[in-house]
Amino acid sequence: MSSPSDALQQARADHEHHTRTCRQCHVDTVPCAVAKHLLRLYNNARRSAARPGDDH
């Protein structure tokens, strides 16, 4: 099982990679549904990592 820090870094990398490579995100400058989902996952991981003593 990965640590909250690992999950946070992976979620960030996934979101950044998608926004760099997605044609829709790049052309429209408006996040596509996948980018919004990945950002939501990143924000959830960030909140989880910020909680003290929450070792799931």
Side-chain angles (χ1 to χ4, degrees), residues 26-46:
H26 183 71
V27 172
D28 293 344
T29 66
V30 175
C32 72
V34 173
K36 290 177 184 179
H37 176 72
L38 291 171
L39 182 58
R40 202 171 302 120
L41 292 176
Y42 169 68
N43 286 334
N44 289 343
R46 190 172 45 122

Side-chain angles (χ1 to χ4, degrees), residues 1-12:
M1 181 174 245
S2 65
S3 72
S5 177
D6 292 341
L8 177 62
Q9 294 303 321
Q10 184 62 50
R12 175 188 233 178

Side-chain angles (χ1 to χ4, degrees), residues 13-38:
D14 290 345
H15 179 259
E16 289 176 352
H17 179 263
H18 175 81
T19 55
R20 278 194 314 270
T21 60
C22 174
R23 183 179 59 86
Q24 182 179 346
C25 290
H26 183 71
V27 172
D28 293 344
T29 66
V30 175
C32 72
V34 173
K36 290 177 184 179
H37 176 72
L38 291 171

